[in-house]
Amino acid sequence: MTTEVPGMKDAVEQRRTALRLSPGAFAIAAELTRQGVSPVRAGRRRQYEDATIFGVATALRWEPDWYDRLLRGEPPIELTAPVGQDEVTQLRADLSMLEGRVDELDRLIRAVAPKSTSGSAAKFSKPARSGKVSGRSVPSRPPAQVAAEGGDRKKQTTSNRSARPRNVPEEPEGP
């Protein structure tokens, strides 16, 4: 008995590539580890748990019967819109995919950036994250965006004082 499902490896990898999912982003979107999706990516025939079947279906936006269809020699059916998922769940999957792509880009940049920690290498460092959205860190606004919006709004709204330099006493008015 063969240990691979004919066409499964190619179908999974083509769909993953078409959705622009890195291997890490694919695992995150499937809510599995990289080791958990490894047999799927290799096209291995085995008794997969429901969590694996549904996780892969969600990540690749396939009908949940994708594995049974591949076992029968049929192609998986692609979903045009998520079925049975609320909007928040889909947004989390999309966010996971994007985070995986950012991590992949970060690795690529670090591979081509100079090995020093100062100077030009600092330009390639990962941006600092601030704020929270649903328990996840999000990047702060880049300085160019702040400048394009007319500077920092906090500085504009916190004071109506004149532009007098600090620590300079005011001159008395009148003669």
Side-chain angles (χ1 to χ4, degrees):
M1 182 166 143
T2 182
T3 59
E4 292 185 4
V5 177
M8 180 171 153
K9 177 180 178 179
D10 291 337
V12 169
E13 291 302 298
Q14 286 174 5
R15 184 65 174 161
R16 182 186 64 78
T17 303
L19 293 173
R20 302 183 68 168
L21 291 170
S22 68
F26 172 48
I28 291 168
E31 297 184 6
L32 300 167
T33 63
R34 283 187 183 208
Q35 295 81 10
V37 295
S38 180
V40 174
R41 290 187 59 218
R44 296 221 171 80
R45 179 186 307 266
R46 57 168 51 178
Q47 190 70 27
Y48 291 106
E49 293 182 20
D50 288 342
T52 302
I53 296 291
F54 290 111
V56 170
T58 300
L60 298 180
R61 297 181 186 155
W62 280 344
E63 289 282 340
D65 69 343
W66 66 270
Y67 185 63
D68 292 331
R69 294 179 66 78
L70 286 169
L71 286 172
R72 293 190 305 263
E74 302 171 9
I77 297 174
E78 295 175 8
L79 298 175
T80 54
V83 175
Q85 288 185 317
D86 62 350
E87 188 174 330
V88 173
T89 303
Q90 184 58 43
L91 289 172
R92 284 184 180 142
D94 291 345
L95 178 61
S96 294
M97 184 236 0
L98 290 173
E99 287 174 339
R101 292 183 63 202
V102 167
D103 289 342
E104 186 175 73
L105 287 171
D106 186 51
R107 281 191 301 277
L108 290 172
I109 289 170
R110 289 182 190 281
V112 298
K115 297 296 180 191
S116 77
T117 57
S118 63
S120 61
K123 294 178 190 174
F124 297 106
S125 65
K126 205 169 189 177
R129 295 180 178 217
S130 64
K132 294 281 185 182
V133 175
S134 300
R136 295 183 182 266
S137 297
V138 294
S140 60
R141 295 184 304 156
Q145 181 182 356
V146 172
E149 293 172 352
D152 194 305
R153 289 194 180 118
K154 284 183 181 177
K155 289 181 183 175
Q156 292 175 355
T157 59
T158 58
S159 173
N160 288 333
R161 287 180 249 143
S162 66
R164 182 177 53 79
R166 290 184 178 192
N167 300 329
V168 176
E170 290 186 30
E171 294 182 27
E173 292 184 28

